[in-house]
Amino acid sequence: MSKPELEQTPSLNAMFRFQWEEAQNCHVLLYPEGMIKLNDSAGAILAEVDGEQDCAAIIRSLEARFPEAGELGPDVLEFLEVAREQNWIRFN
């Protein structure tokens, strides 16, 4: 699969629910068979995936929230590619 394009808009796959899990102290993806614990970076990226923002807007938002991290574009696109391969997200 090719890398996501900046103008593509990701949305969460309907079979997953993204939420903060207090007991795990992290963001998680819940699905009928279980739960996927997400690291801080994955949680921050998926928190921006709302089906409205394209990849460019997600990257701009994350770079504004975490200016000390520098350019995040390549890392965000790489994560979104993996998330699509895992079937967590889809692109409209």
Side-chain angles (χ1 to χ4, degrees), residues 1 14 22-23 25 28 36 46 56-57 59 63-65 75 80-81 84 87:
M1 229 177 245
E22 193 66 42
N25 197 34
V28 298
I36 301 162
L46 285 181
I59 292 166
E63 287 178 344
R65 281 179 55 200
D75 291 335
L80 291 173
E81 180 182 8
R84 175 173 51 186
N87 205 29

Side-chain angles (χ1 to χ4, degrees), residues 27-67:
H27 283 101
V28 298
L29 281 174
L30 298 175
Y31 61 104
E33 296 82 34
M35 175 180 65
I36 301 162
K37 291 174 64 172
L38 302 168
N39 66 26
D40 290 343
S41 297
I45 295 168
L46 285 181
E48 298 288 331
V49 173
D50 59 8
E52 303 285 325
Q53 298 185 90
D54 63 16
C55 292
I58 290 170
I59 292 166
R60 284 192 304 273
S61 177
L62 290 167
E63 287 178 344
R65 281 179 55 200
F66 304 104

Side-chain angles (χ1 to χ4, degrees), residues 9-14 49-53 88-92:
T9 302
S11 60
L12 196 61
N13 180 332
V49 173
D50 59 8
E52 303 285 325
Q53 298 185 90
W88 300 345
I89 63 169
R90 298 192 172 138
F91 286 94
N92 306 330

